[in-house]
Amino acid sequence: MQKITFWQILVVAGLLMSIPETVTAQEGELTLDDLFATPKLTGTTPSQPAWAPNSEHFAFSWSEPGAPGRGLWVSTSDGKEVRLISDKTSAPVRDIIWTDANLIVSLRGNDLWQTSLSQGDDLRLMPVESGAHNLSISPSGNQAAYIQDGDLWLADFSSRKNRQLTEIGISSLSSLPKGRYSRPEREIGPGIWSGPTYKWSPDGKTIALHVVDRREMRKVPFPDYLAAETNPNEVRRGYPGDPNEIRRVGLLDIETGNITYLDLPDPHANQVIDFNWSPDGALLIDIASDTAVERKLFVVASGESKLREIWRSVRETRMYTSFGSNWHPDGKKVVFLSDMGDRYGLYSIDASPSKDRPKLLTDPSYDVLSSPIIAGDALFYAGNGVNPYEQHVYRLNSSGGDLEQVTRLAGRNVGYPSPNGRHLVFMHSNDTSPLELYVVSSDGGDATRVTKSPLPAFTDRTWVAAEYVSFPSLIDDYTLHARILKPTNMQPGKKYPVLFGPVYSNTARNRWAGNYSLVQQLLAKKGYIIVQVDSRGSNGYGRAFREEFLLGFADQDIEDYASAVTNMESLDFVDPDRIGIWGSSYGGTLSVYSLLKKPGLFQVGVAAAAAVDPFFFGTDDVAIVRRPQTHPEVFERKALKYAANLQDKLLFIHGLQDHVVPFKTTAVLAEELIKQGKDFDFAFAPGATHGWSREQYYDRYLFSKMIEYFDRHLGVSSE
């Protein structure tokens, strides 16, 4: 690894001092009430677009700034004509499908609506079962499938009738429909964390199903204290080493209703990444072990059910990783995302019984960050070829030629190419701009903005842009990378407090992060310097750096933050006695372990939804900690072992309906801290789940507790 010299450190310091101060007009004070008001400052985020079959239009759900609900909007392929085409009095638009180049069917409430581009009609088409979701059009265009209560249904547009295709769904144990693990006992749908649902075959005679059965998983109570009497509220929720959900792929014959299940290996220990049909009806199936160690690709020939393995990869050091696959435009080869090299790349392999080795298609100098999308005769994918902080969309023609960068707007870009591959709609955001839709020609040129979502109260304000810097690790030869927000109008000679957070891997990114971005902006305006570090486990810096996180949670990544603190303390505008850290989920883990393992590194920490006992991690977390049966030493790394070290200010935030990180684990740590006479604080929310920062009214309450805590202990005035 390249060493960073003393002179380079001085250059970094100089860059930080030279960050242009944001010139602000006379703006009113930004408050939490502003951030969490209704309607939201940032407006309504547009949905993923749906392209017409002829590539001339795309549709999406959205509402103009301040308008309620979600209407159906349509744009021409160049983005120059955008209009609302749905009845304003209808229910908000959820799923959108095109039946042909002129007609759109959308799901609103418990009804399907049909909208004609040529005639301008927007009419109620037919009812569907209550709670319908995952709408998908048949190849013929005269029927749509959807999921309801874990089963697949068929809506026939001609007869206006619904037909249940499967009898798979079994209701959830939980009587409280909230939380990650409050899921059906058995269903057609994704796994707890990921996976496909179902997909039509090209001839419309078969549907590939992803069936998930959780009945062998452990029952875990998450008491509902808001019920008339305390309700134990059990859910299926495994721990590392427990049986996982059983994930199977079935082929449904639509005419007979018969399901043929494919003989995939170890369905209790392997996740189904995805499956996709080729144009001639062969089915590609992509699976990986829950540990991520093993990856396999299978093909099922058209009209058959026998699996044929076409590729496998085994690597013991693999951990959380990105997988994905699809058919090559020629329909004969398979393109898949893999970490075979130092960087994630797209590889192709012949789907026939050939013994050919996979061929790398993409640039080995940067990471591919998405599954391949096939459009026309090209492959589209996301990658960080510009720098680790940005994500752009690239195109590769199937006939060969150079890779082309399609998006140019600095920030994070997620692409949705037209069926013919000639245009790309992309979702764009950056440090100061929330998610918006843009469209650009695949041949290049300037992008056209399609949506403008924020309220005037947002656009009329000046928001702080980030600076991206690098500095040396203090424990090895790695170069570390950080994202920094500075207060506006910094005064010469004044020293400012620093807040690291929200901490996590992959946070030094030029993107809008919802509530987190709003809160960061508020903190910067209050006078804090905000820092985020790409600690070990992050993408963009090579496989070795990423995989050092394996079996190393809350260990060397804390050393990365220690290096970052040292770097910040060397700057003359930083107050080394006023440095705090905060985060949620694993970010909460980093916050509490940093205070316990390195007392004095941070003076204040806020640990939200913090995982503090690996025995209670999720079954998916075997990808980073493996199992207690094989790696018992990792599971001894409980936070309470370090409880005696607490000397800094610590605030816990936790929701009692957090299925991902059980409240029990924080309660056990709190009990030990109390026994040892330690001083700490607690803010809890009775009905909040793991995603407390996205839940209505809990976000306002808990963020206010966090900010007040930092203000009190780091000496920032409320002025």
Side-chain angles (χ1 to χ4, degrees):
M1 302 293 175
Q2 183 180 0
K3 289 275 190 181
I4 302 296
T5 67
F6 172 76
W7 296 108
Q8 287 173 304
I9 295 175
L10 290 180
V11 170
V12 170
L15 281 172
L16 284 171
M17 287 301 295
S18 65
I19 298 174
E21 294 181 359
T22 305
V23 179
T24 59
Q26 293 298 318
E27 296 178 352
E29 179 187 358
L30 184 65
T31 67
L32 274 174
D33 288 333
D34 296 327
L35 267 54
F36 298 110
T38 301
K40 202 167 182 64
L41 274 177
T42 51
T44 299
T45 301
S47 73
Q48 175 179 322
W51 277 98
N54 65 355
S55 299
E56 293 184 2
H57 295 86
F58 59 90
F60 57 96
S61 68
W62 181 63
S63 63
E64 293 180 292
R70 280 184 171 273
L72 178 63
W73 293 73
V74 169
S75 171
T76 52
S77 60
D78 58 8
K80 294 182 178 179
E81 297 180 25
V82 184
R83 58 193 173 106
L84 173 67
I85 60 173
S86 60
D87 186 331
K88 292 184 179 180
T89 64
S90 66
V93 172
R94 303 204 308 274
D95 292 358
I96 301 170
I97 54 176
W98 292 78
T99 62
D100 57 37
N102 178 62
L103 292 177
I104 301 171
V105 171
S106 57
L107 180 58
R108 310 179 205 173
N110 294 324
D111 292 296
L112 296 181
W113 286 64
Q114 182 173 276
T115 309
S116 168
L117 266 62
S118 60
Q119 298 181 10
D121 294 336
D122 183 52
L123 304 172
R124 186 179 282 105
L125 176 63
M126 62 178 289
V128 291
E129 295 295 310
S130 177
H133 58 95
N134 283 84
L135 194 67
S136 178
I137 192 71
S138 67
S140 64
N142 57 12
Q143 295 174 314
Y146 61 88
I147 294 176
Q148 189 263 349
D149 285 347
D151 276 305
L152 197 65
W153 289 70
L154 194 64
D156 185 83
F157 302 153
S158 300
S159 66
R160 306 292 200 270
K161 292 182 178 180
N162 294 277
R163 177 164 64 98
Q164 186 171 348
L165 296 177
T166 65
E167 294 182 357
I168 289 172
I170 300 176
S171 299
S172 172
L173 286 178
S174 173
S175 59
L176 186 64
K178 64 189 311 183
R180 169 69 68 169
Y181 288 84
S182 184
R183 302 286 288 275
E185 288 277 87
R186 189 174 65 189
E187 67 173 328
I188 297 170
I192 293 294
W193 291 99
S194 64
T197 51
Y198 70 94
K199 293 180 182 178
W200 291 87
S201 65
D203 62 8
K205 296 180 179 180
T206 307
I207 295 179
L209 309 173
H210 185 229
V211 179
V212 183
D213 192 335
R214 305 184 174 96
R215 290 174 294 175
E216 294 184 15
M217 295 179 74
R218 182 193 299 247
K219 295 180 182 179
V220 179
F222 287 85
D224 177 12
Y225 294 102
L226 300 180
E229 289 290 347
T230 302
N231 176 10
N233 189 41
E234 289 184 320
V235 302
R236 298 286 186 180
R237 202 267 189 211
Y239 302 141
D242 279 0
N244 205 350
E245 54 193 356
I246 296 173
R247 294 141 293 185
R248 305 173 70 192
V249 175
L251 302 179
L252 169 67
D253 185 306
I254 296 176
E255 183 177 352
T256 66
N258 293 331
I259 301 175
T260 301
Y261 287 98
L262 305 180
D263 188 22
L264 291 169
D266 300 324
H268 62 284
N270 286 291
Q271 57 182 308
V272 178
I273 303 299
D274 202 0
F275 45 66
N276 286 289
W277 295 95
S278 72
D280 64 0
L283 184 65
L284 168 68
I285 304 167
D286 190 345
I287 72 169
S289 62
D290 289 330
T291 60
V293 168
E294 191 168 23
R295 169 100 180 276
K296 295 179 180 179
L297 296 176
F298 297 94
V299 168
V300 177
S302 178
E304 298 183 9
S305 60
K306 183 179 180 180
L307 293 164
R308 178 167 50 82
E309 182 182 303
I310 63 170
W311 178 77
R312 77 163 59 188
S313 171
V314 178
R315 195 173 74 251
E316 292 295 334
T317 60
R318 188 183 286 130
M319 39 155 267
Y320 286 148
T321 191
S322 298
F323 294 130
S325 56
N326 211 329
W327 289 93
H328 190 276
D330 66 12
K332 298 178 181 179
K333 294 191 290 291
V334 167
V335 180
F336 61 96
L337 175 64
S338 176
D339 56 353
M340 294 169 62
D342 185 56
R343 300 302 186 101
Y344 285 116
L346 292 183
Y347 295 79
S348 69
I349 190 170
D350 198 317
S352 71
S354 164
K355 299 296 184 182
D356 291 346
R357 295 284 300 163
K359 176 185 177 183
L360 178 64
L361 302 177
T362 50
D363 190 329
S365 68
Y366 64 82
D367 288 302
V368 173
L369 301 175
S370 73
S371 298
I373 302 175
I374 311 303
D377 62 351
L379 302 171
F380 290 80
Y381 64 91
N384 55 14
V386 173
N387 58 55
Y389 321 121
E390 296 186 22
Q391 175 176 304
H392 288 277
V393 180
Y394 299 81
R395 182 182 67 173
L396 174 64
N397 288 329
S398 61
S399 56
D402 295 333
L403 294 167
E404 300 175 35
Q405 181 182 331
V406 182
T407 57
R408 299 289 174 178
L409 295 178
R412 185 173 191 267
N413 303 283
V414 178
Y416 307 91
S418 60
N420 62 14
R422 295 177 184 172
H423 286 88
L424 179 80
V425 179
F426 62 98
M427 195 81 77
H428 167 78
S429 75
N430 60 34
D431 289 320
T432 59
S433 302
L435 290 163
E436 301 284 13
L437 284 180
Y438 288 75
V439 66
V440 66
S441 168
S442 297
D443 294 328
D446 294 334
T448 299
R449 184 171 175 175
V450 177
T451 60
K452 295 182 179 180
S453 304
L455 303 181
F458 181 94
T459 55
D460 291 346
R461 283 188 177 273
T462 303
W463 302 95
V464 182
E467 179 79 3
Y468 295 86
V469 301
S470 59
F471 52 91
S473 165
L474 298 180
I475 63 170
D476 49 34
D477 293 338
Y478 286 121
T479 297
L480 303 175
H481 299 256
R483 172 182 183 266
I484 298 177
L485 298 179
K486 289 172 55 182
T488 55
N489 303 320
M490 290 180 67
Q491 301 173 18
K494 182 177 179 178
K495 292 184 179 293
Y496 292 84
V498 176
L499 287 182
F500 283 79
V503 293
Y504 217 100
S505 57
N506 297 305
T507 54
R509 299 291 184 268
N510 185 1
R511 64 186 175 194
W512 187 260
N515 282 346
Y516 285 167
S517 287
L518 287 170
V519 169
Q520 285 182 329
Q521 292 286 337
L522 174 63
L523 289 167
K525 289 179 181 294
K526 287 175 68 68
Y528 292 99
I529 297 170
I530 308 301
V531 182
Q532 290 179 289
V533 180
D534 270 356
S535 54
R536 278 153 227 255
S538 298
N539 294 329
Y541 313 105
R543 192 168 78 187
F545 185 80
R546 186 176 71 248
E547 292 188 348
E548 285 211 16
F549 187 58
L550 176 63
L551 306 177
F553 83 94
D555 189 14
Q556 286 191 304
D557 50 1
I558 292 179
E559 297 293 346
D560 293 338
Y561 287 94
S563 296
V565 168
T566 299
N567 181 71
M568 294 303 296
E569 288 177 340
S570 70
L571 305 175
D572 60 11
F573 53 84
V574 167
D575 187 339
D577 297 321
R578 292 192 294 162
I579 300 181
I581 184 172
W582 73 278
S584 188
S585 190
Y586 185 69
T589 304
L590 281 171
S591 299
V592 69
Y593 274 84
S594 293
L595 267 60
L596 297 181
K597 295 180 73 173
K598 285 188 173 292
L601 179 64
F602 300 99
Q603 287 72 54
V604 186
V606 176
V612 295
D613 187 343
F615 276 104
F616 292 86
F617 285 8
T619 47
D620 63 300
D621 289 320
V622 296
I624 56 168
V625 295
R626 299 308 191 236
R627 298 180 174 92
Q629 299 92 327
T630 59
H631 294 78
E633 71 283 358
V634 178
F635 290 83
E636 292 304 314
R637 208 180 302 153
K638 301 180 181 184
L640 61 79
K641 290 184 62 176
Y642 311 99
N645 296 339
L646 182 64
Q647 66 181 40
D648 305 297
K649 297 298 181 181
L650 172 61
L651 169 66
F652 290 109
I653 290 176
H654 220 117
L656 270 60
Q657 290 303 318
D658 186 343
H659 295 177
V660 178
V661 178
F663 176 76
K664 166 187 168 56
T665 56
T666 297
V668 170
L669 175 58
E671 178 75 2
E672 181 64 22
L673 290 170
I674 292 170
K675 284 181 180 179
Q676 299 208 23
K678 300 298 180 179
D679 182 35
F680 64 96
D681 294 275
F682 218 123
F684 70 91
T689 65
H690 192 63
W692 61 270
S693 64
R694 298 186 300 273
E695 294 189 274
Q696 190 176 12
Y697 67 82
Y698 286 130
D699 51 8
R700 170 66 174 83
Y701 172 75
L702 294 172
F703 273 125
S704 71
K705 292 294 183 183
M706 183 188 82
I707 294 172
E708 186 275 334
Y709 201 73
F710 282 130
D711 288 351
R712 180 170 14 124
H713 295 296
L714 294 181
V716 174
S717 70
S718 59
E719 297 178 2

